[in-house]
Amino acid sequence: MHSAQTQQSPTSPAAKRLAVFFFLVGVVVVFTQAHVKWETATVHWDFQQFYIAAQMLKHGDASRLYDFRAQVEYQARYVDATRIETAPDYPFLYPAATALLFFPTAWMSRAAAYALWTGCNMWFLFASTRRLQRELGLGGSDWLLFSALFFLPVPICLLHGQLSLLLLFLYTHAFALVRRERLFLAGFLVGLAALKFQLMVGFVLILLLRKAWKFVAGAAVGGFVVAAISALVIGWRQLLAYPAFLHSVAYHPRVGMPRGMVNIRGLLDLFGHREPAVWLVAVLSAIVILSAAWFGQDVEVAFALALIAAVVTAYHAYPQEISLLILPIAVAVRRMPWRPSEVSALLLVML
């Protein structure tokens, strides 16, 4: 005879995926509402620089992409026409290929454009945490995804509409390829991180010191692709003038704010109460890079150390960049006898 008691069937994988999907959609809605509500005449978010750059491309002003006066004009037109400014709130300083990522948003309102990019960021986070769990054998549930959402740099990145989660996606998939010894393709993905090159240079230097020639060659090709696309957007002359432009605005009050940085430069500014000397930042950065290249013979540990060093030695690195450290945290978790629930509790305490 069959038991009178009926057992509840376990939730199907499709139902779980659907629940996660609707949860992430809800997160996007919440962040979009917060982003729109909290942005005022004195509080601005980084996303507006990408939106302004997209509008400049749409209107055929790509050649003026790095002209602060042009950026101010578009800021008045598409962000806030009530303020008279001499410099944009958040100057666009990225390679021109970055502006191309946001080009489709130029036909949307700023709120809709931000919602679309936040949805992309949520997908980058979801894909990155899922890949890390598969690669490192951290379980099949989405505990790493939910823990990451409570890791403060991630909400900061989402609220500002920044690029850090895109870089996490690139580094995570490069990590998976390195574990399979597909070094050229791994390097190519890291080379694409030249979209935010300050977080890529230190990493490639460490792999160069480790004589990972295939990886470095792939990174060179990836970086060339970003440069070539940028040249198509703004022209080769503007591209060749780009380094001089960055040097000219490096200490502009709306560009360099070392007190808020999470790198060696920010640490020295915190203790010295002034902008640190470039040579001192360079020396300490070299020590960190050499140390990361020397230690960690295990592939996973070496990759994690190189990523940490890349963030610490980046000349511009703000709190949202720490979201890249989800990868080293996942590598560390694999080597600890902790259950996922305990790790989630630890991350909540960190928050």
Side-chain angles (χ1 to χ4, degrees):
M1 295 178 60
H2 295 288
S3 173
Q5 293 182 340
T6 58
Q7 294 183 349
Q8 186 178 4
S9 60
T11 306
S12 66
K16 289 181 179 179
R17 287 194 293 269
L18 193 62
V20 171
F21 171 77
F22 281 114
F23 172 79
L24 296 181
V25 169
V27 173
V28 171
V29 171
V30 169
F31 272 93
T32 301
Q33 291 179 334
H35 180 95
V36 173
K37 181 179 180 180
W38 294 342
E39 190 163 30
T40 65
T42 56
V43 177
H44 311 283
W45 307 116
D46 293 1
F47 180 76
Q48 72 179 46
Q49 66 185 296
F50 304 121
Y51 187 68
I52 288 170
Q55 293 294 346
M56 294 178 74
L57 296 189
K58 176 186 175 183
H59 290 85
D61 266 342
S63 62
R64 303 174 67 200
L65 197 58
Y66 300 118
D67 183 339
F68 278 12
R69 288 175 297 179
Q71 291 184 28
V72 167
E73 292 173 13
Y74 278 85
Q75 177 177 298
R77 191 184 310 177
Y78 292 102
V79 178
D80 188 351
T82 64
R83 292 182 294 126
I84 299 176
E85 296 286 344
T86 58
D89 297 325
Y90 288 101
F92 181 81
L93 308 174
Y94 296 83
T98 306
L100 204 59
L101 285 175
F102 296 89
F103 185 61
T105 69
W107 283 265
M108 305 176 182
S109 68
R110 191 153 47 95
Y114 168 80
L116 176 62
W117 179 244
T118 303
C120 293
N121 267 333
M122 289 304 304
W123 185 83
F124 294 142
L125 181 63
F126 172 80
S128 299
T129 54
R130 272 291 180 90
R131 191 64 184 265
L132 284 172
Q133 286 185 242
R134 288 198 304 268
E135 289 296 319
L136 298 173
L138 297 177
S141 65
D142 290 297
W143 68 269
L144 185 58
L145 169 66
F146 296 126
S147 299
L149 286 171
F150 284 100
F151 186 43
L152 190 56
V154 171
I156 291 175
C157 180
L158 291 172
L159 191 59
H160 279 271
Q162 262 289 350
L163 303 176
S164 303
L165 294 177
L166 169 58
L167 266 64
L168 175 64
F169 175 83
L170 293 173
Y171 273 113
T172 296
H173 286 74
F175 174 74
L177 290 168
V178 167
R179 294 182 80 243
R180 290 163 175 74
E181 298 185 355
R182 300 176 65 182
L183 298 182
F184 182 86
L185 187 54
F188 178 78
L189 291 180
V190 171
L192 295 180
L195 292 169
K196 204 164 186 178
F197 57 86
Q198 66 269 29
L199 296 169
M200 179 269 286
V201 173
F203 192 94
V204 175
L205 282 176
I206 291 168
L207 272 293
L208 181 63
L209 291 171
R210 284 180 168 270
K211 300 181 180 179
W213 306 123
K214 288 184 179 180
F215 186 98
V216 174
V221 173
F224 177 79
V225 168
V226 172
I229 294 174
S230 297
L232 290 174
V233 174
I234 60 174
W236 283 103
R237 289 187 178 180
Q238 291 288 338
L239 180 65
L240 294 175
Y242 179 61
F245 163 75
L246 289 181
H247 183 266
S248 68
V249 301
Y251 298 102
H252 191 283
R254 295 192 179 180
V255 174
M257 295 176 285
R259 186 60 56 86
M261 294 183 184
V262 290
N263 52 9
I264 291 174
R265 182 183 175 194
L267 186 66
L268 293 175
D269 181 272
L270 180 65
F271 287 103
H273 302 290
R274 62 179 180 178
E275 177 72 50
V278 174
W279 68 266
L280 181 57
V281 175
V283 168
L284 294 177
S285 297
I287 292 173
V288 171
I289 288 173
L290 289 170
S291 300
W294 180 264
F295 294 104
Q297 298 306 312
D298 179 275
V299 171
E300 295 174 3
V301 174
F303 196 101
L305 286 174
L307 187 53
I308 294 170
V311 174
V312 170
T313 60
Y315 200 64
H316 282 78
Y318 290 97
Q320 62 265 13
E321 327 300 6
I322 302 178
S323 58
L324 292 175
L325 302 191
I326 289 173
L327 192 156
I329 290 172
V331 171
V333 167
R334 187 190 185 194
R335 287 162 163 72
M336 295 178 182
W338 294 352
R339 292 185 300 236
S341 59
E342 295 171 330
V343 175
S344 301
L346 176 63
L347 291 178
L348 283 173
V349 170
M350 290 171 61
L351 173 63

